[in-house]
Amino acid sequence: MRTILYPGSFDPVTNGHLDVTIRASHIFDRVVVAVAVNSEKKPMFSIPERMELLRKVLKNYPNIEVASFHGLLANALKEFDACAVLRGLRAVSDFEYEFQMALMNRQLNEECETLFVMPSPDYSFVSSRLIKEIALNGGDVSAFVPPDIARAIRKKAEEGNL
Ligand code: PNS
């Protein structure tokens, strides 16, 4: 049973994250999508909200689970019985940060290998940061996130909670 751990902020989950997760689910027996509990000052969605939304959009994939983790990613592998970390690489611009993180994680835990999956080029320009910025300024994000997420963002906006 081979498990891969896909960590991230997922605030919010985008079509690009989904694409990476589903591709990995075809290769690994189990994919654990893990929301990092960190101290981001102004998240759009709380950790429980992000987990609920991830569960909603991934409900049709029996070998994909949603979880959260505290502290260092390098220490979380064991907790989920995972053999490696999964990260998406959209473009060369992602590479430097990801390369640094992968090597640092391996320095912290020599068993912490990172595997990269390239999402479809359709999503190469999609990021949670831009989704948040577009939503904050009243734009339509429905082409970049699953319908459940677009609905949740609209609801936050209507409630004045963005
Ligand atoms: O979706 P993101 O924001 O690009 O994900 C970044 C994430 C959560 C994977 C990274 O910040 C992380 O691993 N955080 C946990 C704390 C940690 O281990 N930091 C050191 C990384 S070398």
Side-chain angles (χ1 to χ4, degrees):
M1 174 93 165
R2 291 234 168 228
T3 298
I4 193 154
L5 181 65
Y6 185 19
S9 306
F10 303 110
D11 185 38
V13 60
T14 67
N15 287 339
H17 292 129
L18 279 194
D19 184 89
V20 167
T21 313
I22 292 161
R23 284 174 197 278
S25 77
H26 296 150
I27 304 168
F28 287 86
D29 300 309
R30 177 172 164 252
V31 181
V32 177
V33 181
V35 181
V37 178
N38 52 27
S39 54
E40 202 191 322
K41 281 195 193 99
K42 214 176 170 307
M44 178 180 269
F45 292 104
S46 69
I47 303 287
E49 283 174 331
R50 283 181 242 169
M51 291 174 69
E52 190 192 325
L53 291 170
L54 277 163
R55 288 203 174 102
K56 227 181 225 178
V57 299
L58 291 166
K59 65 177 185 296
N60 293 331
Y61 301 89
N63 67 336
I64 303 176
E65 292 170 29
V66 175
S68 65
F69 73 100
H70 290 260
L72 287 178
L73 172 60
N75 296 339
L77 274 189
K78 224 184 222 148
E79 185 184 334
F80 297 105
D81 197 23
C83 62
V85 167
L86 168 70
R87 292 286 290 172
L89 270 186
R90 288 166 298 195
V92 178
S93 51
D94 283 340
F95 179 78
E96 203 167 333
Y97 170 63
E98 294 296 336
F99 184 67
Q100 190 181 18
M101 198 158 70
L103 290 185
M104 181 59 87
N105 280 327
R106 203 163 56 192
Q107 194 68 31
L108 294 172
N109 169 6
E110 63 181 15
E111 289 176 7
C112 188
E113 294 292 353
T114 304
L115 303 182
F116 296 97
V117 165
M118 273 64 75
S120 158
D122 295 348
Y123 309 126
S124 60
F125 56 92
V126 176
S127 73
S128 297
R129 186 178 63 78
L130 288 183
I131 300 295
K132 275 190 265 198
E133 196 171 318
I134 294 165
L136 269 169
N137 289 286
D140 177 14
V141 296
S142 56
F144 319 119
V145 295
D148 283 319
I149 308 300
R151 246 191 311 277
I153 292 174
R154 268 199 303 276
K155 190 159 171 269
K156 285 251 174 208
E158 282 161 18
E159 293 166 354
N161 284 335
L162 274 186

